[in-house]
Amino acid sequence: MTTDACRPTLDLLPYAPAGRRSSMTCHYRCATSCAQPVPNRTENAYFGDIVRSAVSRRGVLAGLVGLGVAGAAVAQPTRASASAFGDDVNLLADPFDPGHSVDFEVIAPVPADVDSFDVPAGWTWAPLISWGDPILPGAPDFDFENQTAEAQLGQFGYNNDYTTIVPMQDPNRALLVCNNEYTNEELMFRDWTGAENATDEQLLISLAAHGMSVVELRRANEDSPWAYVRGSEFNRRITPMTQMEFTGPAAGAKALRTSADPSGRKPIGTFANCAGGTTPWGTVLSGEENFNGYFFTSEEPGGEGPGESDRYGVTGSSGRAWERIEERFSYAAEPNESNRFGWVVEVDPSDPTSTPRKHTAMGRMKHEGATISIAADGRAVSYMGDDERFEYLYKFISKRTYREGDREHNMRLLEDGDLYVAVFEGDGIEDERYDGRGRWVQLTRDGRSLVPGMSVDEVLINARAAGDAVGATKMDRPEDVERNPVNGRVYLACTNNTQRGTLGKAGVDEANPRPLNKDGHVVEIVEARDDAAATEFFWNLVLVCGDPEDQSTYFGGFDPAQVSPISCPDNVAFDSTGNLWISTDGNTLGTNDGLYEVVVDGPNRGQVRQFASVPAGAEACGPVIAEDGRTVFLAVQHPGEIDTATIDAPASTFPYDGTGQPRPSVCQIYRA
Ligand code: FEO
Ligand code: CA
Ligand code: CA
Ligand code: CA
């Protein structure tokens, strides 16, 4: 998340959200970055003026009529077409109809801030694990009124974003791995009056509730729901205090050295872990996202801090006060510490003693996540969004190739490889489609920089500046991006960007065609030759989200009257037949966030069907659709995160467990 959620207003609050995202979200998760300048102030070109003027002439100024040809679909790379990328990209209707591997009746949207969790008729849900549930041996039961840092270190963390289920050999055992992205102290502590007044114990609890959780799951048989195993030998908490190591070309770089770690190779901890990915070799990747908001920098003119030139927003006072607990969170004390965050972290959940690794070859940004695809020649490709307004889409291609069954070898694939950034080029809208070609511009090769004037350390640690230098395309908050294992196409959720086209900011382009984009869109990418390692691609917008009655929306050619409204796409997943599943964060349509199935192939391409609706103030995260279509895992992040909410008058009591307080929880939704 970043911040489009909020914008300066004349309210009594110094900032207030647009739509329904609360200013609490802004404060806790993104350090109110929308009240601060957009970090990308470069003027690199978007793409042709022709396209821009065409879009503005025909679409934007005229109210942005939803473009696209009903029933049209892009070529099918994996299943069929050898001409997925040629001189003429042939957009033939695709006869393949995947059907619905998850059998459900669409649910109606739930009005905003109604505190209920809704699933389809014939389905039921249960929390699998909630904030504070004891996971490590000896950890105490959750006690909202008497929480301690020691207890929290053995308990499930707060705010669960990325969620994955790593299978074990026994089909009735699995490992749940979850990012605990951030904390909502106002909902955690009865006497909370701001970090400046927090006790040390409260700050330590907050630290301990960040990071990741690994938890073993078991079920009696394949028809039973899952339960987590308290005290399993696999259970683990990874926190901002966990010892990690850097790999790759920038490991040991000067800018990564601190007084506690003069080697520049042994970073401590992870936090702001947003989305992620699960590798074919069974490890989990976690994206460090809004790390900037955790470092204290003086706001005084000439004060300590990287200053206005910083491309990562490490400016302004941290709202967290972690510098009171550990000096490294003060920029003045440790100016390089913030460089040690913003990476992709790889965790081996099968070994609770393993050291998590931060892979510098994959670049430093506000990583939403990282998802792996294996290229035609066996190299591992990772797609990565940098979630902030006007930031870029990246991919990493490993040097070595994936070897089936050779885990030790595969575990090192992400240590060595090349980083690329995307340039989208539209072909104009005369074809009545938002589409065109694109290039992956190479930033590094064999551990060396390809960006003039920048060393490889600079390219990797300041990847945003490298993207600026090569004219990467400024996207509307590129979040989760993942390759569909059935049709081979890549789906990128652009959550929103209400500053698109505003004074002094980038205007619209064909890949980000809507000014003041409050509802976001989904980009579909077809790699050349259907190869994840390609350096060229074809793209089109499969969804332009929002109220279907809004003429600027587009649902892949499907009849807008027949779709569920969807707003602010964030996380993407796929079911076993290749339908796209999207969870949302920040719905602006007057309804709660939710989980949606989107058909991307065949005659129903663009059909959006709502499957679940999350409680008041919550964001839907980390969907996992079980192979057999009978269970859906969904993380409910920050339930009750609404400005007026207090401990005494909570906006949500999800998961309705009798504590009377909201508890972020990973849920399983299954057939009744
Ligand atoms: Fe943590 Fe990009 O949302
Ligand atoms: Ca999000
Ligand atoms: Ca076009
Ligand atoms: Ca996200």
Side-chain angles (χ1 to χ4, degrees):
M1 112 100 227
T2 317
T3 39
D4 238 52
C6 52
R7 62 179 173 187
T9 72
L10 298 177
D11 286 347
L12 292 175
L13 290 168
Y15 49 86
R20 55 171 286 264
R21 258 298 156 258
S22 77
S23 59
M24 283 172 66
T25 307
C26 306
H27 172 72
Y28 288 115
R29 189 161 46 177
C30 61
T32 315
S33 57
C34 56
Q36 297 167 11
V38 167
N40 193 348
R41 289 186 283 275
T42 60
E43 298 194 7
N44 65 25
Y46 322 107
F47 58 99
D49 287 341
I50 294 170
V51 167
R52 196 174 321 146
S53 62
V55 171
S56 59
R57 188 176 63 249
R58 287 196 44 197
V60 174
L61 297 180
L64 250 176
V65 175
L67 298 176
V69 182
V74 301
Q76 296 303 298
T78 296
R79 271 195 319 279
S81 168
S83 62
F85 194 86
D87 287 334
D88 291 307
V89 176
N90 197 4
L91 298 171
L92 297 172
D94 173 14
F96 175 75
D97 183 351
H100 304 275
S101 64
V102 182
D103 181 18
F104 72 97
E105 286 175 26
V106 63
I107 69 165
V110 175
D113 304 341
V114 169
D115 186 32
S116 72
F117 187 80
D118 289 66
V119 299
W123 290 68
T124 190
W125 68 275
L128 189 52
I129 192 163
S130 302
W131 164 52
D133 279 342
I135 60 172
L136 298 191
D141 288 341
F142 180 61
D143 180 351
F144 179 83
E145 302 293 347
N146 299 290
Q147 180 64 315
T148 67
E150 190 185 352
Q152 181 66 74
L153 282 171
Q155 296 171 335
F156 193 66
Y158 204 83
N159 276 342
N160 23 237
D161 199 292
Y162 183 67
T163 297
T164 184
I165 309 289
V166 181
M168 296 171 75
Q169 276 188 337
D170 179 344
N172 296 319
R173 298 176 71 189
L175 296 179
L176 168 75
V177 185
C178 198
N179 282 344
N180 299 120
E181 184 176 359
Y182 69 105
T183 48
N184 290 88
E185 282 78 356
E186 291 180 28
L187 304 180
M188 295 168 68
F189 303 117
R190 190 169 285 284
D191 50 353
W192 185 259
T193 57
E196 63 278 16
N197 302 319
T199 64
D200 285 359
E201 183 69 8
Q202 287 174 324
L203 296 178
L204 285 166
I205 292 169
S206 297
L207 255 96
H210 279 73
M212 302 172 69
S213 299
V214 181
V215 187
E216 185 184 349
L217 306 180
R218 290 193 194 187
R219 60 182 176 181
N221 57 60
E222 288 173 41
D223 294 321
S224 310
W226 293 91
Y228 88 89
V229 181
R230 183 172 179 172
S232 161
E233 60 183 324
F234 289 103
N235 292 358
R236 183 179 190 183
R237 280 302 321 285
I238 294 169
T239 73
M241 287 82 85
T242 301
Q243 183 67 60
M244 314 223 159
E245 66 185 32
F246 279 124
T247 75
K254 231 177 182 171
L256 298 181
R257 298 177 197 164
T258 63
S259 51
D261 173 25
S263 77
R265 294 174 182 275
K266 299 183 183 306
I268 295 172
T270 188
F271 50 82
N273 305 82
C274 194
T278 306
T279 67
W281 50 94
T283 61
V284 176
L285 306 179
S286 176
E288 295 181 331
E289 194 193 34
N290 294 309
F291 64 90
N292 58 306
Y294 290 79
F295 295 91
F296 177 82
T297 58
S298 167
E299 290 171 313
E300 302 303 315
E304 296 288 348
E308 284 275 296
S309 63
D310 178 50
R311 282 287 279 109
Y312 294 83
V314 185
T315 54
S317 169
S318 125
R320 294 275 174 187
W322 285 10
E323 66 281 358
R324 276 175 41 202
I325 299 299
E326 297 218 9
E327 200 177 36
R328 64 189 169 118
F329 294 112
S330 162
Y331 185 89
E334 283 296 349
N336 285 345
E337 185 67 13
S338 61
N339 294 334
R340 291 148 67 92
F341 297 87
W343 300 100
V344 170
V345 186
E346 184 174 13
V347 171
D348 179 3
S350 71
D351 178 4
T353 67
S354 59
T355 302
R357 292 166 301 147
K358 298 192 179 193
H359 294 304
T360 67
M362 301 174 83
R364 174 172 168 262
M365 60 201 73
K366 291 189 184 177
H367 277 288
E368 173 71 12
T371 56
I372 299 289
S373 187
I374 303 298
D377 64 5
R379 288 179 291 168
V381 175
S382 178
Y383 294 95
M384 304 179 292
D386 181 354
D387 178 15
E388 186 147 25
R389 293 165 298 189
F390 305 112
E391 292 301 340
Y392 309 134
L393 172 67
Y394 298 79
K395 83 175 176 185
F396 166 87
I397 305 177
S398 70
K399 183 176 179 66
R400 292 182 293 268
T401 57
Y402 173 71
R403 286 189 209 146
E404 184 92 38
D406 188 348
R407 196 158 191 270
E408 196 179 335
H409 167 85
N410 296 331
M411 292 266 288
R412 305 202 56 186
L413 287 178
L414 305 180
E415 296 179 1
D416 192 3
D418 302 334
L419 185 64
Y420 297 74
V421 69
V423 174
F424 290 80
E425 293 162 345
D427 63 2
I429 60 165
E430 287 70 19
D431 60 356
E432 300 197 321
R433 294 179 63 88
Y434 292 124
D435 64 352
R437 291 160 180 265
R439 293 176 283 123
W440 293 105
V441 180
Q442 193 165 5
L443 302 174
T444 62
R445 178 184 294 145
D446 296 333
R448 291 193 302 276
S449 166
L450 294 183
V451 182
M454 293 180 79
S455 69
V456 70
D457 291 349
E458 288 168 337
V459 168
L460 296 175
I461 296 170
N462 196 359
R464 287 181 164 184
D468 298 342
V470 302
T473 301
K474 297 176 176 181
M475 305 299 288
D476 286 347
R477 287 189 54 197
E479 295 229 38
D480 215 353
V481 51
E482 183 162 356
R483 195 159 191 244
N484 182 331
V486 175
N487 71 17
R489 302 190 294 259
V490 177
Y491 293 83
L492 165 65
C494 289
T495 289
N496 58 38
N497 182 354
T498 54
Q499 293 195 12
R500 174 71 65 179
T502 59
L503 192 64
K505 304 290 186 333
V508 297
D509 58 44
E510 202 167 335
N512 301 275
R514 194 158 50 176
L516 311 175
N517 182 8
K518 73 178 178 65
D519 292 309
H521 55 272
V522 178
V523 187
E524 183 178 55
I525 293 169
V526 184
E527 295 275 27
R529 301 174 306 284
D530 188 28
D531 183 1
T535 55
E536 295 178 292
F537 57 90
F538 168 81
W539 63 269
N540 75 106
L541 301 192
V542 60
L543 292 182
V544 181
C545 302
D547 180 346
E549 291 187 1
D550 172 352
Q551 293 294 296
S552 73
T553 58
Y554 173 65
F555 299 92
F558 199 79
D559 178 1
Q562 305 291 321
V563 303
S564 297
I566 183 171
S567 171
C568 301
D570 188 342
N571 297 128
V572 301
F574 303 96
D575 62 30
S576 59
T577 53
N579 292 314
L580 170 67
W581 288 69
I582 295 177
S583 60
T584 66
D585 174 17
N587 186 335
T588 69
L589 305 178
T591 51
N592 283 337
D593 278 310
L595 176 65
Y596 306 79
E597 178 208 53
V598 183
V599 179
V600 291
D601 283 305
N604 294 330
R605 175 177 159 86
Q607 183 183 29
V608 179
R609 300 167 72 227
Q610 185 164 4
F611 176 83
S613 176
V614 295
E619 156 188 6
C621 289
V624 176
I625 319 301
E627 176 96 21
D628 64 8
R630 295 196 298 169
T631 306
V632 171
F633 298 89
L634 186 64
V636 175
Q637 172 153 232
H638 56 76
E641 187 188 69
I642 289 175
D643 285 344
T644 53
T646 64
I647 299 281
D648 292 321
S652 173
T653 56
F654 175 85
Y656 320 116
D657 58 1
T659 61
Q661 298 296 331
R663 294 171 72 191
S665 305
V666 176
C667 295
Q668 54 185 329
I669 305 170
Y670 52 99
R671 291 192 157 285

